Amino acid sequence: MPQPVLFTPLKARHLELANRIAIAPMCQYSAENGRMTDWHTIHLGQLALSGAALLTIEASAVLPEGRITHADVGLWDDDTEAAMRRTLDAVRGWSTMPIGIQLAHAGRKASTNVPWVGGKQIAPDAPHGWQTVAPSALPYAEGEHPPTALDRQGMDRIRDAFADAARRSARLGLDFVQIHAAHGYLLHQFLSPLSNQRTDDYGGSLDNRMRFPLEVFDAVRAAFPADKPVTVRVSAEDWVDGGWDTEQTIAFARALEARGCDAIHVSSAGLHEKQKITVAPGYQVPFARAIKAAVSMPVVAVGLITDPHHAEAIVANGDADMIALARGILYDPRWPWHAAATLGASVLAPKQYLRCQPSGLRDLFTNDGASASPHWTRTDDGRYV
């Protein structure tokens, strides 16, 4: 049988990927003051044994007020960096899977409760609440406390915080950085005319609305090692009339690529409470297809991709270069194994699990000694090589 495209390698800058399956960032709302806990070691550890090509750490706030909830992971000081290092030390001891991080600021969608207790906004003067910021003083939902419109000083502070988090990511030896400009969070809020009603150089025209997200990208790209990828996640559509759309996303993607962006991860929605989404398997793939036709950098598709044959068709037909899994791989942490079995491919598995290979699939598992010894060496100054 020919090798399935889903299980062929891909390269981004100097990062070599074994296949076309990415694990997307998934918020766990289980941190303490921005610091990772044992839950993150368990969560990331199991996913790092899944056989996917790469693993992305959940949206990590670059400032405390940039968290979605009080239980979000952060990377803004030495304590949050040290906690993340402990988790990475444990995971890397048993997996060679490349690990990256999504750097984020929630903007007006910050200061909310964790999802399993409702996820509603918490008032600034209530426990676990704080004053949110945004491009304009427009709340996300009717009845919410409005954000403060950012001035130039506030924007500079956020831009510099993204760059500082990128430097911390480099010290942690992370393989790539993804900038979160999707799902209605701060950078998406600058992009969309529904949330950005500024009258200065950062609002109005498309070029103006893209200006601050591009400044953040430039700052991160300059702060992160030149041989490692910097990528961006976008929402291609607001699913609201008059909002951000695919045509504007293409213009943004081209501007990012011109600045050295290494890949774009295409999602949608999250900006407005009145969004109307037509959901079906692969419902966001057409957005990825349109963007891929306009740029040469790798494009990642996401959105109810659960069937291996469907995933193979997406990459084989050229709709995207990779597919990303989030909720699907939480439900089935061995999805890449099962996809490889279905498509007749091979996948990396730790040596401790080799005995579970089904007798009828003798070529399913490969092993490179990844489970025998740590992949990384920590230097005296705390870096990983």
Side-chain angles (χ1 to χ4, degrees):
M1 294 177 62
Q3 174 80 340
V5 178
L6 190 64
F7 287 91
T8 57
L10 183 69
K11 188 172 183 179
R13 213 161 279 245
H14 294 318
L15 181 61
E16 296 184 359
L17 304 176
N19 56 56
R20 309 299 185 91
I21 303 168
I23 299 178
M26 294 171 279
C27 290
Q28 298 297 292
Y29 311 105
S30 299
E32 297 175 354
N33 296 319
R35 300 189 299 269
M36 282 187 166
T37 63
D38 288 347
W39 173 257
H40 297 94
T41 303
I42 296 168
H43 167 66
L44 295 174
Q46 65 168 334
L47 295 178
L49 302 177
S50 67
L54 59 85
L55 171 60
T56 316
I57 293 171
E58 66 193 83
S60 301
V62 299
L63 290 167
E65 61 270 27
R67 293 173 293 172
I68 306 165
T69 78
H70 63 89
D72 281 19
V73 168
L75 188 57
W76 62 70
D77 63 9
D78 291 346
D79 288 342
T80 53
E81 182 180 340
M84 191 171 290
R85 186 186 302 278
R86 287 191 293 273
T87 293
L88 290 170
D89 282 348
V91 174
R92 285 170 170 157
W94 301 102
S95 173
T96 59
M97 184 181 292
I99 303 175
I101 188 170
Q102 184 184 69
L103 300 180
H105 191 297
R108 69 181 186 177
K109 291 181 74 175
S111 188
T112 63
N113 219 326
V114 295
W116 47 85
V117 294
K120 299 296 184 181
Q121 186 191 55
I122 299 175
D125 56 353
H128 298 310
W130 59 87
Q131 176 61 48
T132 62
V133 296
S136 303
L138 303 171
Y140 169 70
E142 186 176 350
E144 288 189 347
H145 187 87
T148 298
L150 283 161
D151 58 16
R152 181 69 255 186
Q153 184 179 10
M155 292 164 64
D156 289 346
R157 179 171 178 264
I158 291 170
R159 178 203 61 207
D160 294 347
F162 269 95
D164 181 62
R167 284 186 285 271
R168 293 182 184 277
S169 300
R171 287 202 295 267
L172 290 167
L174 289 163
D175 294 289
F176 66 94
V177 161
Q178 181 182 98
I179 298 171
H180 200 355
H183 299 165
Y185 299 120
L186 182 67
L187 300 185
H188 185 184
Q189 292 162 27
F190 269 92
L191 293 170
S192 176
L194 297 176
S195 49
N196 182 349
Q197 296 184 9
R198 300 175 71 96
T199 57
D200 60 3
D201 290 343
Y202 293 88
S205 70
L206 175 60
D207 285 344
N208 282 1
R209 286 182 279 115
M210 294 194 304
R211 192 182 308 277
F212 184 62
L214 291 175
E215 287 180 359
V216 169
F217 176 86
D218 289 342
V220 170
R221 180 65 278 179
F224 200 58
D227 62 337
K228 293 186 176 185
V230 173
T231 72
V232 178
R233 191 174 199 183
V234 296
S235 279
E237 292 274 349
D238 284 343
W239 297 91
V240 180
D241 289 343
W244 183 254
D245 57 24
T246 305
E247 183 178 352
Q248 295 174 87
T249 305
I250 289 172
F252 184 48
R254 286 172 169 162
L256 288 168
E257 185 171 43
R259 286 165 163 78
C261 185
D262 293 289
I264 188 163
H265 182 137
V266 182
S267 186
S268 72
L271 183 104
H272 202 282
E273 64 173 341
K274 295 182 179 179
Q275 63 190 20
K276 295 180 180 180
I277 306 174
T278 303
V279 177
Y283 71 103
Q284 297 180 137
V285 173
F287 305 142
R289 182 189 308 127
I291 293 165
K292 182 169 171 54
V295 299
S296 59
M297 63 180 163
V299 174
V300 183
V302 68
L304 288 183
I305 302 169
T306 59
D307 180 79
H309 292 290
H310 183 202
E312 170 67 9
I314 290 168
V315 294
N317 294 338
D319 292 335
D321 299 283
M322 299 186 73
I323 62 101
L325 304 173
R327 299 179 196 188
I329 206 164
L330 287 184
Y331 183 76
D332 180 6
R334 298 291 180 264
W335 190 94
W337 291 15
H338 302 148
T342 299
L343 299 173
S346 297
V347 66
L348 180 68
K351 65 181 182 180
Q352 292 90 338
Y353 291 170
L354 293 178
R355 288 186 298 168
C356 78
Q357 178 174 263
S359 60
L361 297 169
R362 295 187 180 278
D363 297 322
L364 175 60
F365 288 162
T366 63
N367 177 266
D368 64 356
S371 300
S373 60
H375 175 51
W376 296 89
T377 299
R378 186 174 173 184
T379 62
D380 290 340
D381 61 357
R383 294 180 298 108
Y384 285 91
V385 296

